Amino acid sequence: MSRPNLLVRTGRFYVEGFRNMSGWGKQVWIVILVKLFIMFFILKLFFFPNFLKTNFDTDEQRSEHVLDNLTNTK
Amino acid sequence: MLEAIDVSLVNWSRAQFALTAMYHWIFVPLTLGISFIVAFMETIYVKTGNPEWKKITKFWMTLFGINFAIGVATGIILEFEFGTNWSNYSWFVGDIFGAPLAIEGILAFFMESTFIAIMFFGWKKVSKKVHLAATWLTAIGANLSALWILVANAWMQSPVGMQFNPETARNEMVSFWEVLFSPMAVEKFLHTTSSGFVLAAIFVIGISAWFILKKREIVFARKSIAVAAVFGFLSSIYVIFTGDSSARTIATHQPMKFAAFEGLYNGSERAGLIALGIMSTTDTDESNQNLMDFNMKLEIPNILSYMAYMDWNAFVPGINDLIDGNEKYGIMSAHEKIERGKTAILKLKEFKEAKEAGNTELAESIKAEFQTKDFQENYFKYFGYGYITDPHVLIPSVPLSFYSFHIMVFLGMYFILFFFLSFLFVIRGKLEKHRKFLKLAIWTIPLAYIASQCGWIVAEVGRQPWVIQDLMPTMAAVTKISTSAVQVTFWLFAAIFTVLLIAEVKIMMRQIKIGPKVKEEGGHN
């Protein structure tokens, strides 16, 4: 039987690794997934919009806004 | 000064960033150091073939894995904050930060995810040598990731290799190598990563000491301490050298920070180093609440001059010299810098108005002026000073800088002695008899974290009010959003990161209690 290609072998390597993972490994993965969900789907979306990307459409407008801020001195 | 900037907004935004960075830094240094300790242990295993070393390697690899997994990506929140809370700043530096952070992202993702997988899943799948290579590459990858973040931070402390473009209001990179190899970047990388090695070595010794106190896994603990003590001792000596050269770079590029963490108010030739000091709580100058004198100080003559300039007789400027100026030593006053900064801002305003009025000729001539050496060195260099109205704002918190620096240095000295004694006791086979030392070893773990955090307090508080040294103060960098929004996210972070930390400590404690006889992962023999 011919040896599976590198991609398949890499895939199997990960699948078997995850399947045989110990208790602490599974716990840690749960923490990672919950953390990433909170960070990217809650914090990033609802609490941390990129101010310049959200409020301005073009880089030119963003530059103008920052220039306004930087030169708006007493 | 900038119009309509709420000071509480600046302070809350700073507090939020500090909180996130400090929590992030709880996870990072252990990863940086323990990955190398694991690599050393596995190397011994591969060289000797002794299964005890394999058991040792796998145990510490587990703790590395837990710490890495909990800590990974917490730094991304800092990048979120750049975009939300520090939008003027992130636009102003975008081009400079983009390259190092992109490289960091690619390196972190590809190197670490690939080699960590081999480390944990590959025990029975790949040869011993390939596995060892993966462990070393994980350690190198983790430290290379830190390099790019530290290069970005170093640029903020000492901006080099860029050209400001008034058209886009951005600094554009003109020399990647100048940014990468600036003295500040090189020293920051070496000092920070080696301090992580020290922390990890203390962690390994402390946990091993716990096993010995519990009369468990004595051979495992002794061997672990032997490796960690040697690695920690060499790293802590190296930390002193890198700290010393960092201090010299700071004295040149951030003299105010240097004066603040040394508590030097009035500069002098043959300046002495305050080895020990207790600052007075009584203000000596009513116009500046930050200025305090010492109730008690132990000063070693001439050392500070040598430390700063490798010359026992050199003049070291104090806080007052940097504010009032000192003609004799060619130190420009803060007032002069403020005037030059205002000129640079006014020129930028003229450029903007010319552009808006469609006066292309004038706009182009001002843009060209921004690129001249004379304008860059005499005006743009002081751009950020133009936002300052009271020169005393330029003085960072001296007590916080002074105490943080001295706590870091004292703990650093203690760590050298600690590693030396650890090694001495372990090679003499007398470790079990020194129960007080073993208990001390456990209590040294939090001290390592305190020293590590103090290092960042010195670096970041000491450079206030600057986000980018001399170019942009915090008040110009912050996004004009509501203070309450920042307060909400501050407490949200405090809650999330505390939960993460508790999760890490609990999972780690459980694994430590199980000990090195952990069930073999991936069917490893």
Side-chain angles (χ1 to χ4, degrees), chain B residues 2 41 121 234 290 322 339 397 418 458 481 493:
Chain B
L2 287 168
M41 288 166 169
F121 299 158
L234 295 175
N290 196 26
L322 295 164
E339 287 309 312
S397 168
F418 172 75
V458 174
I481 52 176
F493 275 137

Side-chain angles (χ1 to χ4, degrees), chain A residues 13-14 16-18 20-22 24 27-28 31-32 35-36 38-40 43-44 47-52 59 62-63 65-74, chain B residues 1-3 62 66 69-70 72-73 80-81 83-85 87-88 91 113 117 120-121 125 166 168 345 348-349 352 387 472 479 489 492-493 496 500 510-511 521:
Chain A
F13 174 82
Y14 277 90
E16 283 176 33
F18 281 111
N20 296 323
M21 196 181 276
S22 62
W24 74 264
Q27 274 183 331
V28 158
V31 174
I32 292 174
K35 179 178 74 180
L36 292 178
I38 291 171
M39 279 168 56
F40 289 98
L43 291 179
K44 180 67 184 156
F47 293 96
F48 284 95
N50 185 303
F51 181 82
L52 293 174
D59 275 357
R62 290 174 194 123
S63 296
H65 171 76
V66 175
L67 268 176
D68 276 344
N69 282 344
L70 294 181
T71 54
N72 189 14
T73 53
K74 279 178 189 172
Chain B
M1 203 177 95
L2 287 168
E3 283 175 14
T62 302
I66 295 166
I70 307 278
V72 76
F80 293 172
E81 288 170 13
T84 305
N85 303 75
S87 59
N88 290 340
W91 185 260
S113 61
F120 285 97
F121 299 158
K125 308 273 178 196
T168 57
I345 292 171
L348 187 61
K349 199 171 185 174
K352 184 176 151 284
Y387 299 106
M472 183 174 257
T479 311
T489 47
L492 198 63
F493 275 137
I496 292 170
L500 273 181
R510 189 181 303 156
Q511 285 308 120
E521 220 173 285

